[in-house]
Amino acid sequence: MYKPSICNDKKVFYHGTKADLKKGDFIKIGCHSNYGKRRKANFVYFSATMNAAIWGAELAEGNMTERIYIVGPTGDFEDDPNLTDKKFKGNPTKSYRSKYPLRVIDEVLHWQGHTEDMLEKMRKNLEELKKQGIEAIND
């Protein structure tokens, strides 16, 4: 478990989505997930890498504009078990989750997305997992 007071001074955290948010808004649990069956999310997700946030924005459901926000956790957080150890040893994507809200600090306006080939490959991989009944851990 990480404490935000320890990490916020040293790290910048990102959240990729298609939601239109403003500085000072909070990203909270209980909203419908951007992914899969769009169940109510028990966690909010974020990363210390732009690449993971870009994937989040690009793969989010919906037709709205892809956005990357700089966020600040407001409480304890942990490594995201969807991307740690089950798929990658350790936490190379520096991805985290929390039951506490994320405060939107700013929006990253200029970023480079993945190529269409990379996106298509990722979408196919996610579709295969879906067919196998594998969904994100939400407990």
Side-chain angles (χ1 to χ4, degrees):
M1 189 70 63
Y2 300 94
K3 303 284 184 190
S5 60
I6 294 170
C7 293
N8 277 350
D9 296 335
K10 299 177 185 173
K11 291 188 180 187
V12 174
F13 295 110
Y14 304 96
H15 178 81
T17 185
K18 290 185 180 167
D20 184 12
L21 303 171
K22 306 289 181 250
K23 289 180 188 179
D25 284 352
F26 288 91
I27 302 167
K28 301 176 183 178
I29 64 170
C31 297
H32 291 284
S33 168
N34 286 327
Y35 311 98
K37 295 180 181 175
R38 307 225 44 212
R39 295 184 301 180
K40 286 195 176 183
N42 293 326
F43 296 92
V44 291
Y45 294 86
F46 59 104
S47 175
T49 70
M50 273 291 291
N51 191 48
I54 290 168
W55 280 118
E58 291 174 329
L59 297 173
E61 296 288 332
N63 296 321
M64 296 178 68
T65 302
E66 299 163 348
R67 298 176 183 273
I68 306 288
Y69 295 103
I70 298 171
V71 296
T74 62
D76 295 346
F77 56 93
E78 64 188 9
D79 289 346
D80 177 359
N82 296 297
L83 297 173
T84 54
D85 294 332
K86 286 188 167 220
K87 294 183 181 179
F88 308 107
K89 186 163 179 57
N91 189 356
T93 62
K94 295 180 177 55
S95 296
Y96 308 100
R97 71 181 192 177
S98 179
K99 289 193 174 272
Y100 295 92
L102 302 175
R103 185 172 56 86
V104 175
I105 297 169
D106 208 349
E107 183 174 356
V108 178
L109 298 176
H110 304 287
W111 50 275
Q112 180 67 45
H114 295 96
T115 66
E116 197 54 46
D117 288 345
M118 291 174 74
L119 282 167
E120 187 58 32
K121 183 177 178 182
M122 179 63 86
R123 287 183 185 117
K124 283 181 182 178
N125 288 341
L126 292 173
E127 188 61 35
E128 185 57 36
L129 290 173
K130 187 177 179 180
K131 286 178 186 174
Q132 295 173 28
I134 299 171
E135 286 225 33
I137 298 168
N138 195 32
D139 314 331

